[in-house]
Amino acid sequence: MTPRCSVFSAALDEPLAGTAASASAWLCLEQPGPWGRDALVESHLDPMLGAELSRRASAAGVRMLLIRRPGRHADTHEPVRRQVFLASTAPGASWLEQAVLAAPEELLELDFAALGAGRSEAFGTPVSSPLVLVCTNSKRDMCCALYGRPIASALDLWECTHTGGHRFAPTGVVLPTGYLYGRLDLDLAVRLTAGEIVADRCRGRSCWSPQAQVAEVAVRAEIGSVRDELSIAAESPGAVVVRHSDGREWKVELREEAVPARPASCGKSPDPAVALVAAAVAGLARVR
């Protein structure tokens, strides 16, 4: 039997940093029942509503996910109150809100542009604890369900739809900061739920470019930072300057590295790829 895509990727030690989805904000809607490959229009959510929400979210730089509790996913199609989470990933100013909707159509009242710009319109109430979501969207890739569902169940975490990079399954996203992770295990998931921002197996922060994601993860690993205290000071081709909230700066040199042929997802043929990696991390003079 052909190994699954996540097994290929892990065996090749394919770099994770720089592969996070791009989004300045996230919107997560509870939707029980099965999810199709394109879950917003292939689930028990009304497909016309799902398409409209997807359109508005994309236009505002918001990543929208469906979420559900672990366990049986029966959906009787009866009206049921459902939870929704809104998150802005702005470094040093991220926020998370939670609301309960009588019907998903209430999301049409949301100001998507404000959410994408990081402005809270008090659609929900503030949440202080981090929200950890684990992808279990089997119709997108079976690896997510096989390896993600046991972690979500063991820690009673929300399951979510596709976050990208299923070859790194089990994958997850932490809100409100917007850090994505791959090759999750129970120990790492526990650290994430405790509020740590861990460099280990971090794919990057969704509000930044791929090269900025790689650079920030490299600095975080270099100094052992587990807090939201790093930002991007400058970017140029092949180099990124990362700044600490205390004024310290590092210049990270980047290079491309060939990845041996591997399938991007289960069922696809193996193809060679190129990963962006940190070649050097050098401290700069402190900014005052």
Side-chain angles (χ1 to χ4, degrees):
M1 187 178 81
T2 302
R4 298 202 174 274
C5 66
S6 61
V7 176
F8 260 114
S9 179
L12 295 172
D13 197 23
E14 181 179 359
L16 290 163
T19 67
S22 177
S24 60
W26 295 71
L27 174 62
C28 310
L29 172 65
E30 183 178 7
Q31 176 57 55
W35 299 330
R37 178 178 175 80
D38 187 356
L40 282 173
V41 294
E42 296 176 342
S43 68
H44 289 178
L45 181 69
D46 177 80
M48 293 186 65
L49 173 61
E52 177 61 17
L53 292 174
S54 178
R55 183 191 69 79
R56 295 188 187 188
S58 296
V62 176
R63 180 73 179 238
M64 185 168 179
L65 303 175
L66 298 183
I67 59 174
R68 64 190 178 197
R69 301 305 306 177
R72 295 179 60 86
H73 305 304
D75 183 2
T76 62
H77 296 273
E78 296 295 325
V80 59
R81 297 176 69 83
R82 61 190 74 196
Q83 295 191 63
V84 62
F85 294 92
L86 302 81
S88 170
T89 66
S94 59
W95 53 263
L96 178 65
E97 293 180 352
Q98 179 182 20
V100 179
L101 308 180
E105 288 78 9
E106 292 179 35
L107 278 181
L108 295 174
E109 302 172 12
L110 176 67
D111 188 335
F112 280 83
L115 175 59
R119 301 194 308 273
S120 171
E121 300 291 306
F123 189 88
T125 56
V127 177
S128 58
S129 300
L131 176 68
V132 180
L133 310 171
V134 179
C135 179
T136 62
N137 195 353
S138 62
K139 290 299 177 67
R140 193 67 181 240
D141 194 284
M142 185 57 69
C143 283
C144 295
L146 283 176
Y147 307 124
R149 195 163 287 157
I151 293 175
S153 297
L155 298 179
D156 194 27
L157 303 175
W158 286 94
E159 298 182 4
C160 71
T161 50
H162 183 56
T163 61
H166 28 250
R167 66 187 180 279
F168 303 124
T171 63
V173 58
V174 184
L175 300 177
T177 52
Y179 283 94
L180 279 79
Y181 287 84
R183 302 177 190 140
L184 281 172
D185 57 27
L186 287 176
D187 289 341
L188 176 56
V190 167
R191 294 184 68 186
L192 300 179
T193 59
E196 292 187 32
I197 301 173
V198 185
D200 180 29
R201 285 164 280 172
C202 185
R203 299 176 59 201
R205 192 169 192 171
S206 67
C207 60
W208 289 328
S209 69
Q211 71 167 11
Q213 292 173 8
V214 173
E216 191 264 1
V217 171
V219 171
R220 187 171 291 282
E222 178 84 5
I223 66 175
S225 171
V226 294
R227 301 180 183 278
D228 186 7
E229 55 195 4
L230 300 178
S231 61
I232 303 303
E235 284 191 63
S236 60
V240 176
V241 176
V242 178
R243 180 178 296 162
H244 194 283
S245 58
D246 66 9
R248 287 179 293 165
E249 287 189 345
W250 296 264
K251 183 177 182 180
V252 182
E253 301 285 349
L254 306 169
R255 61 176 171 80
E256 292 185 337
E257 182 178 275
V259 177
R262 85 290 183 268
S265 59
C266 288
K268 290 190 175 181
S269 60
D271 292 310
V274 175
L276 195 62
V277 299
V281 178
L284 303 176
R286 184 186 296 265
V287 176
R288 298 186 183 275

